Amino acid sequence: YAQSVSCSDLLNYVKQNGTTYNTLYGFTLNSSWLKSVTAYKVEGEIAVVAKIQREGEIFSKEYVFCGISQSRWDKFNSSWSGGTYGERFHKYIIDYQCNCY
């Protein structure tokens, strides 16, 4: 089916209407590709905005991930879950990229 909202519109909506729940920056993430990760509470849900710099690219780009459960966020955010932030991002968040174009 057709994706009804552009990713840039969705990103702006999350940032303008969501409440910042938690932000992790590069020095905490200690990742070559994950530059920042911010969780927002939007209409009772957690949306995650991640600034990602792909290999070989000069600038990072923001991506929005939808429907992240509290337990997924907690597992991503906790070193108790094992692995690096980058590994945990792949395990708990990356599959939830929002349905936008």
Side-chain angles (χ1 to χ4, degrees):
Y1 65 90
Q3 296 168 323
S4 57
V5 66
S6 77
C7 292
S8 61
D9 286 348
L10 184 59
L11 190 59
N12 289 335
Y13 180 85
V14 167
K15 288 178 165 184
Q16 289 169 4
N17 298 285
T19 305
T20 304
Y21 179 68
N22 196 343
T23 301
L24 301 167
Y25 295 103
F27 56 86
T28 301
L29 296 166
N30 194 20
S31 169
S32 60
W33 58 276
L34 207 51
K35 300 305 175 189
S36 70
V37 179
T38 303
Y40 292 88
K41 283 278 177 110
V42 186
E43 298 171 12
E45 301 279 322
I46 296 175
V48 169
V49 174
K51 193 175 279 189
I52 294 172
Q53 185 170 356
R54 294 180 184 221
E55 194 173 340
E57 290 184 358
I58 297 168
F59 300 106
S60 55
K61 183 179 171 190
E62 288 184 310
Y63 296 89
V64 61
F65 300 86
C66 297
I68 307 298
S69 67
Q70 183 66 57
S71 69
R72 275 193 179 278
W73 174 258
D74 291 344
K75 286 175 184 168
F76 162 72
N77 198 21
S78 171
S79 59
W80 291 102
S81 301
T84 64
Y85 277 105
E87 290 165 341
R88 292 194 303 267
F89 191 85
H90 272 283
K91 188 171 183 179
Y92 299 111
I93 295 177
I94 209 158
D95 291 338
Y96 289 82
Q97 191 161 356
C98 298
N99 187 22
C100 56
Y101 64 87

